[in-house]
Amino acid sequence: MNRSIWMKTLAIFVCLNAIFILLGLRRADAPGDKYDLTLHAVAKSISQNHVIPQPYNDSLSEKIFYEYLDQMDHEKNIFIKADMDAFTKFKYKIDDELNGESIQLFYLVKDKYKSRVVELQSAAMNWFKTPMVFAPNTTELYYPINKNYAVTASERSKNWATMIKYKILEKYVDLKEVRELSTVDSIKTRPDAALELEARTSVEKVMKKVLEQYSTQNSDDELFSVYVNSFVNVMDPHSHYFLPVEKRSWNESLSGKFYGIGAQIGEENGYLKLVTISVGGPAWKSGEVDAGDLLLKVGQGDEKPVDIAGFSIPDGVKLIRGDNKSVVALTLKKLDGTVKVVKLVREELRIEETFARSNILNYKDKKYGVINLPKFYTSFGDDNGRSCSEDVAKELERLKANHVDGVIVDLRSNGGGSLQEVVNMVGLFIPQGPVVQVKSKSGRPGVYFDRDAKTNYDGPLMVMVNEFSASASEIFAAAIQDYRRGLIIGSGTYGKGTVQRPYNLNTDASTAMDLGNVHITMQKYYRINGSSVQIKGVVPDVRLNGYYENHKVKEKDQITALPWDVLNRLQYSTWPTIPDITILHNHLSQQIDTQQAFAIFDENAKWLAAQSDLPKVISESAYKTLVKSIRDKSAFNRNLMRLNVDLDVYGIFDAVADAGSPVTEDKIKIDRNNRVTNFYKRDHYLQITAELMNKSILSKPMLSSNNN
């Protein structure tokens, strides 16, 4: 080729490439794009490993499109109709991105999102200029979720102004209540105009901060995470993509420990603040960190620090925590106004709230052990870490040493955890046998067995559950129920019959970038009787209404939830004797006052659940009426859950720290244990469970067939 022609061709190519870059368009084969690499890696891992992968076609693209825009702007108060029209051109192109083409929609939505937030920040200057007038007979409505996107920016601004007015009304009525209840003359005599001004100023401060967080806190990485999860969540509600900085929190939640600096973080005027310093932790040992210090920046080792002004507490904590023995650099503004950079080495800290603890309940003439287990925790790859099955085994030995007449395992609001741990824990209560079936994308179902013939506890057993008992909790409850080993008491469980596994996206040696990881639903699990708990959950033997049972909080309320199905029933032998459930139901039905109270409870719960999305009249009288109804019904329901007279409950846990533990762990343990014990003292559900346990022990048990 002629050299001059070649040079001209090269120049044209370079110019066109520059134009593409300036326009935000990239070629399909552009190398090294982190977001392209990440999305393609996630798409590949989902296709290969998801238990029910959907084909990457236009139908899936459309689902992802609407899920993405809903996650970006659920209330329909940021984008306008013209934005949606522009976005719609890409509705059927997301599948092409999943199949290897470069990302386009994300960049368009991200840039438009940021520009619209800037517009809202500018418009916000006019929302608080004039006093609000709340007409007594108005029909003006505030919609918590707008039906449609605004046609124009001015219409959208009007929607925001309506929302602002309702928030000011809420604050204004609260201030009037304070004035009515006050005995201080300076407060009792405050005019309405002064209260309105205070309410307006307060809401202005909050809303400006919200918009500031929208514009500064949502980094490109975080917004990209929303895009990827819109795809992943369409597969099912529990598959999830984690940015590199988010991976730690998952392991922390399962292991019951994390690596940090030993400080409690708060917020003050848009800045994160060190509220308390834990004695014995890295911050305390440095001698350079004090309670009251403001956090300006956080850096990882010698890397460039991140300015965290405007960060939320969870996002700040993500940066402060890290790997064991790693270095975090804090830029602090001291109380005297000086700025100091302090480097700390992270150490292991324990999340005491996670661990199993036991109490003893003296009820009538019986003594019952109550094991509180908030999560099925384990420590991956840590031989010295905590295991919930081992901890529960120790608690059972303690309870047997105290000669309890029965054991109650409290799994209320236990969201699950380690599958192997729940299998081990079921084994504490049965001789041996299958515990749960699992089925992957292909192949025959597998079975998890308890192969230890030993039974750690063979006495009367009841398991307490509620609508937030999920996954591993449901496996445990289902196995106990199928073996007829004990009774399940409470509200219907969550209905999560799927198992997630972490998949590391950094398997390609060609890139040194950390792409994060994705937790993929790789299996569905099934009861040993063959039924899945997916969607349906575990139906308790004795049902007690749950506080949030009528809210849309369960698996069945998730649009993308995987379907319910069944496998073959396994062979297993049930417990030799079980309580007569009919007798227990009859006994509970004879508690007339309790039955009537729970009927009102259920009616109130349905009404409360319906209020959140209903339009609100922007009227002082209407708001006061609504607030009174909400308070009255909520108070009745919460009071029903709490007893007026304390139960006889006390803890049998250690009050002192283990040898070699940080100094702070002693106080943390004591505080946590006391909170659990004090809660149980007024727990109406525990009282009903103990009453049923009493009745089951005093009644002649039914014989159970072993031929299953």
Side-chain angles (χ1 to χ4, degrees):
M1 181 183 291
N2 183 284
R3 178 176 175 81
S4 63
I5 295 176
W6 185 87
M7 292 298 293
K8 289 178 181 178
T9 303
L10 178 61
I12 292 171
F13 175 81
V14 171
C15 290
L16 287 174
N17 193 49
I19 292 171
F20 288 147
I21 293 173
L22 290 172
L23 291 176
L25 304 174
R26 291 174 323 289
R27 296 169 291 114
D29 61 343
D33 186 291
K34 178 180 177 180
Y35 294 157
D36 280 348
L37 288 171
T38 301
L39 181 64
H40 297 157
V42 172
K44 181 180 179 181
S45 64
I46 290 287
S47 177
Q48 293 177 342
N49 299 292
H50 195 276
V51 63
I52 309 178
Q54 299 180 43
Y56 297 165
N57 54 24
D58 285 352
S59 175
L60 178 67
S61 182
E62 184 178 24
K63 293 176 185 177
I64 298 169
F65 177 80
Y66 287 114
E67 175 68 17
Y68 176 42
L69 294 175
D70 182 69
Q71 288 193 27
M72 288 293 294
D73 187 12
H74 180 65
E75 290 81 17
K76 296 183 174 65
N77 63 5
I78 294 177
F79 297 124
I80 64 175
K81 186 178 181 301
D83 302 332
M84 294 302 299
D85 293 340
F87 300 155
T88 301
K89 299 174 184 177
F90 295 89
K91 181 168 38 174
Y92 299 112
K93 295 185 178 180
I94 302 174
D95 57 313
D96 299 325
E97 297 179 7
L98 299 177
N99 284 317
E101 292 191 8
S102 289
I103 295 171
Q104 296 184 63
L105 178 62
F106 162 69
Y107 290 98
L108 177 63
V109 173
K110 170 184 71 73
D111 293 343
K112 184 57 67 174
Y113 174 89
K114 290 186 174 183
S115 66
R116 291 304 186 195
V117 170
V118 171
E119 291 175 0
L120 287 168
Q121 287 177 305
S122 177
M125 298 175 64
N126 298 317
W127 295 335
F128 304 95
K129 284 184 176 180
T130 57
M132 296 291 176
V133 177
F134 305 107
N137 299 316
T138 184
T139 57
E140 185 179 11
L141 294 176
Y142 157 58
Y143 291 88
I145 299 178
N146 294 307
K147 296 179 181 178
N148 301 297
Y149 290 96
V151 175
T152 63
S154 60
E155 181 186 338
R156 179 197 56 184
S157 184
K158 183 180 178 182
N159 291 341
W160 274 79
T162 303
M163 174 184 67
I164 297 300
K165 186 174 182 179
Y166 191 76
K167 291 187 178 297
I168 293 173
L169 171 63
E170 292 175 322
K171 183 66 176 178
Y172 176 60
V173 172
D174 288 345
L175 291 172
K176 291 185 81 170
E177 284 188 1
V178 172
R179 183 178 65 183
E180 291 170 7
L181 297 173
S182 178
T183 58
V184 180
D185 288 341
S186 60
I187 297 177
K188 288 171 59 179
T189 57
R190 292 189 71 192
D192 289 353
L195 300 183
E196 187 278 335
L197 176 60
E198 181 180 344
R200 185 158 34 100
T201 302
S202 175
V203 174
E204 179 180 19
K205 182 179 178 180
V206 171
M207 295 311 299
K208 284 187 175 180
K209 182 178 178 182
V210 167
L211 288 172
E212 181 182 349
Q213 289 178 339
Y214 279 179
S215 63
T216 62
Q217 195 172 307
N218 292 316
S219 67
D220 285 1
D221 281 356
E222 289 167 317
L223 293 176
F224 174 70
S225 176
V226 175
Y227 186 57
V228 179
N229 275 312
S230 300
F231 152 54
V232 175
N233 295 155
V234 163
M235 291 293 169
D236 75 277
H238 304 291
S239 292
H240 193 84
Y241 167 69
F242 291 88
L243 288 167
V245 75
E246 294 176 324
K247 290 190 292 185
R248 292 190 304 267
S249 62
W250 178 267
N251 290 334
E252 289 168 5
S253 67
L254 285 180
S255 66
K257 66 182 180 182
F258 63 93
Y259 303 106
I261 64 171
Q264 181 180 351
I265 310 299
E267 187 273 337
E268 181 178 283
N269 297 325
Y271 287 94
L272 297 185
K273 178 181 179 180
L274 300 180
V275 179
T276 59
I277 306 300
S278 301
V279 177
W284 176 81
K285 288 189 287 189
S286 74
E288 299 183 86
V289 182
D290 300 295
D293 290 350
L294 295 181
L295 273 167
L296 304 181
K297 298 179 182 180
V298 178
Q300 309 304 321
D302 295 324
E303 295 179 10
K304 182 180 178 181
V306 176
D307 188 333
I308 62 170
F311 271 41
S312 67
I313 293 174
D315 287 337
V317 169
K318 288 177 187 175
L319 294 176
I320 295 169
R321 292 182 184 176
D323 296 330
N324 192 25
K325 304 302 181 183
S326 62
V327 176
V328 58
L330 308 180
T331 303
L332 305 173
K333 185 176 182 180
K334 309 295 288 184
L335 294 174
D336 61 5
T338 59
V339 175
K340 175 183 287 189
V341 177
V342 179
K343 291 189 175 182
L344 303 173
V345 178
R346 297 177 176 106
E347 294 179 2
E348 178 182 331
L349 304 169
R350 292 280 180 174
I351 307 174
E352 273 296 320
E353 298 294 332
T354 299
F355 299 138
R357 290 290 186 274
S358 291
N359 282 263
I360 286 180
L361 165 63
N362 290 317
Y363 188 77
K364 296 184 176 178
D365 61 342
K366 300 294 182 184
K367 180 190 289 188
Y368 300 124
V370 184
I371 299 177
N372 176 267
L373 185 66
K375 183 175 284 290
F376 285 87
Y377 52 87
T378 188
S379 288
F380 297 110
D382 183 356
D383 294 337
N384 297 317
R386 298 286 290 266
S387 154
C388 72
S389 60
E390 293 177 359
D391 286 352
V392 170
K394 294 174 184 176
E395 299 302 325
L396 288 172
E397 292 306 311
R398 289 180 171 190
L399 294 174
K400 288 191 294 184
N402 280 270
H403 308 293
V404 297
D405 297 293
V407 168
I408 298 169
V409 177
D410 185 1
L411 298 182
R412 287 174 296 175
S413 299
N414 182 319
S418 167
L419 179 62
Q420 187 57 55
E421 282 301 315
V422 70
V423 172
N424 295 343
M425 202 171 111
V426 170
L428 302 177
F429 300 94
I430 65 170
Q432 61 183 3
V435 174
V436 62
Q437 304 184 72
V438 294
K439 186 178 181 181
S440 303
K441 178 181 176 181
S442 60
R444 297 176 59 185
V447 181
Y448 282 77
F449 284 89
D450 166 42
R451 301 187 184 279
D452 186 353
K454 176 185 176 183
T455 301
N456 295 58
Y457 174 75
D458 60 3
L461 175 67
M462 288 191 175
V463 180
M464 299 178 69
V465 296
N466 67 4
E467 57 271 28
F468 295 116
S469 301
S471 193
S473 295
E474 294 175 290
I475 294 175
F476 181 85
I480 295 299
Q481 190 176 60
D482 288 345
Y483 275 105
R484 300 184 183 179
R485 173 62 185 88
L487 295 184
I488 313 303
I489 313 294
S491 55
T493 61
Y494 184 86
K496 179 180 180 290
T498 58
V499 180
Q500 287 70 46
R501 306 286 188 196
Y503 184 90
N504 189 351
L505 299 176
N506 304 314
T507 57
D508 187 352
S510 65
T511 176
M513 291 184 288
D514 190 350
L515 304 180
N517 70 12
V518 59
H519 285 222
I520 304 174
T521 297
M522 295 187 178
Q523 297 172 316
K524 293 181 72 176
Y525 69 78
Y526 301 79
R527 301 171 68 141
I528 55 177
N529 70 8
S531 174
S532 172
V533 303
Q534 177 67 11
I535 302 292
K536 294 186 177 183
V538 176
V539 179
D541 297 299
V542 179
R543 184 183 179 281
L544 302 175
N545 307 59
Y547 188 84
Y548 290 104
E549 200 168 5
N550 289 286
H551 292 68
K552 294 182 178 181
V553 297
K554 292 188 177 184
E555 183 81 1
K556 65 183 178 63
D557 302 309
Q558 308 298 317
I559 296 175
T560 60
L562 297 180
W564 176 86
D565 61 341
V566 296
L567 295 178
N568 292 328
R569 181 188 183 95
L570 300 177
Q571 291 293 317
Y572 57 95
S573 298
T574 56
W575 201 248
T577 58
I578 62 169
D580 190 326
I581 298 176
T582 302
I583 291 178
L584 300 186
H585 277 286
N586 291 338
H587 179 68
L588 189 60
S589 66
Q590 292 168 11
Q591 320 287 315
I592 303 300
D593 290 344
T594 299
Q595 291 300 312
Q596 290 177 342
F598 269 108
I600 299 172
F601 179 101
D602 194 46
E603 182 180 330
N604 288 347
K606 290 177 180 176
W607 184 89
L608 289 166
Q611 298 310 303
S612 58
D613 294 335
L614 292 178
K616 309 293 191 296
V617 180
I618 307 181
S619 155
E620 184 176 344
S621 60
Y623 177 72
K624 285 182 175 179
T625 300
L626 176 63
V627 168
K628 186 178 187 306
S629 296
I630 290 174
R631 286 176 179 172
D632 290 347
K633 295 179 188 298
S634 180
F636 179 92
N637 281 16
R638 291 199 178 279
N639 287 336
L640 180 62
M641 299 164 69
R642 310 301 292 158
L643 298 168
N644 294 322
V645 179
D646 284 0
L647 294 171
D648 183 5
V649 181
Y650 60 92
I652 60 169
F653 28 70
D654 291 333
V656 296
D658 300 328
S661 298
V663 178
T664 51
E665 192 167 337
D666 187 23
K667 184 177 186 303
I668 293 172
K669 281 186 176 181
I670 293 172
D671 289 346
R672 190 267 181 177
N673 294 339
N674 288 340
R675 284 198 302 274
V676 173
T677 301
N678 291 334
F679 172 81
Y680 280 145
K681 286 181 178 180
R682 292 294 181 96
D683 187 357
H684 194 179
Y685 291 98
L686 178 60
Q687 184 269 328
I688 293 174
T689 303
E691 179 66 26
L692 293 172
M693 180 81 87
N694 253 28
K695 187 66 178 178
S696 68
I697 290 176
L698 296 174
S699 303
K700 185 177 180 180
M702 297 175 61
L703 294 178
S704 173
S705 171
N706 287 332
N707 184 19
N708 282 280

